[in-house]
């Protein structure tokens, strides 16, 4: 089946099968920041924005994206680099495998939440798995990026 989507602000026509998941469709388009992790919607590695909302692409059928705007980290490079500097400064950048999904979630949180507290941040980030860090560096980086007082 044919679907029309906007990927990082570019209109694209894609041929997909009814059982194709968005993670695979996007990777076939060369968007390798969209990572396959758990395949159970539990790790956040496959996070993209679908119409501006964080979405797990491993559990979204590709045809469901028809007519929608898909954003990956490649489409938000300037903002992503800005937050990545906070991550590096707090020692929260380890192997980097989880970073694209994590960063997209943080950028969405910045747009959605106003003056979040630590509990709000932790709740919003639930589902973003990092096997390298103890999350404290990431939490410090997010709080500094969002301007949350310690």
């Amino acid at each position: 089946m044919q679907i029309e989507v906007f990927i990082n602000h570019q209109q694209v026509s894609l041929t997909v099968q009814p059982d194709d998941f968005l993670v695979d469709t996007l990777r076939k388009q060369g968007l390798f920041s969209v990572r396959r992790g758990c395949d159970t919607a539990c790790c956040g590695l496959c996070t993209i924005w679908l119409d501006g909302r964080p979405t797990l692409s491993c559990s979204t059928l590709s045809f469901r994206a028809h007519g929608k705007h898909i954003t990956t980290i490649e489409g938000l490079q300037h903002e992503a680099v800005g937050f990545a500097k906070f991550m590096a400064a707090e020692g929260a950048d380890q192997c980097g495998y989880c970073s694209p999904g994590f960063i997209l979630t943080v950028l969405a949180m910045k747009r959605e939440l106003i003056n979040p507290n630590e509990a709000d941040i932790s709740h919003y980030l639930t589902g973003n798995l990092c096997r390298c860090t103890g999350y404290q560096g990431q939490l410090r980086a997010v709080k500094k990026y969002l301007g949350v007082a310690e």
Side-chain angles (χ1 to χ4, degrees):
M1 72 178 52
Q2 274 311 105
I3 63 170
E4 298 289 328
V5 295
F6 293 87
I7 300 175
N8 298 325
H9 311 290
Q10 299 289 325
Q11 187 170 4
V12 180
S13 179
L14 302 171
T15 302
V16 299
Q17 298 302 312
D19 60 349
D20 286 351
F21 285 99
L22 204 46
V23 64
D24 300 314
T25 299
L26 293 172
R27 289 184 63 80
K28 286 177 186 172
Q29 296 301 306
L31 298 163
F32 298 117
S33 70
V34 184
R35 305 223 166 112
R36 179 171 290 293
C38 66
D39 285 331
T40 59
C42 292
C43 71
L45 294 177
C46 66
T47 301
I48 58 157
W49 287 0
L50 195 57
D51 285 343
R53 304 272 306 155
T55 303
L56 299 173
S57 62
C58 77
S59 60
T60 304
L61 291 168
S62 297
F63 76 85
R64 299 252 183 220
H66 178 67
K68 298 187 186 231
H69 291 262
I70 298 167
T71 307
T72 67
I73 204 160
E74 290 89 349
L76 294 166
Q77 288 183 18
H78 180 72
E79 288 179 78
V81 167
F83 174 65
K85 290 178 182 177
F86 282 85
M87 295 271 288
E90 292 302 322
D93 60 332
Q94 299 274 324
C95 80
Y97 196 71
C98 69
S99 294
F102 182 78
I103 290 171
L104 279 173
T105 302
V106 171
L107 296 177
M109 180 186 349
K110 184 177 182 182
R111 287 172 163 76
E112 186 177 327
L113 301 182
I114 298 171
N115 298 321
N117 59 34
E118 189 170 319
D120 296 330
I121 293 168
S122 294
H123 179 69
Y124 203 97
L125 294 175
T126 298
N128 282 272
L129 180 64
C130 175
R131 298 187 193 285
C132 297
T133 69
Y135 296 105
Q136 292 307 306
Q138 289 177 331
L139 183 58
R140 283 192 311 271
V142 171
K143 287 168 71 174
K144 286 183 179 179
Y145 178 69
L146 298 176
V148 175
E150 289 287 328

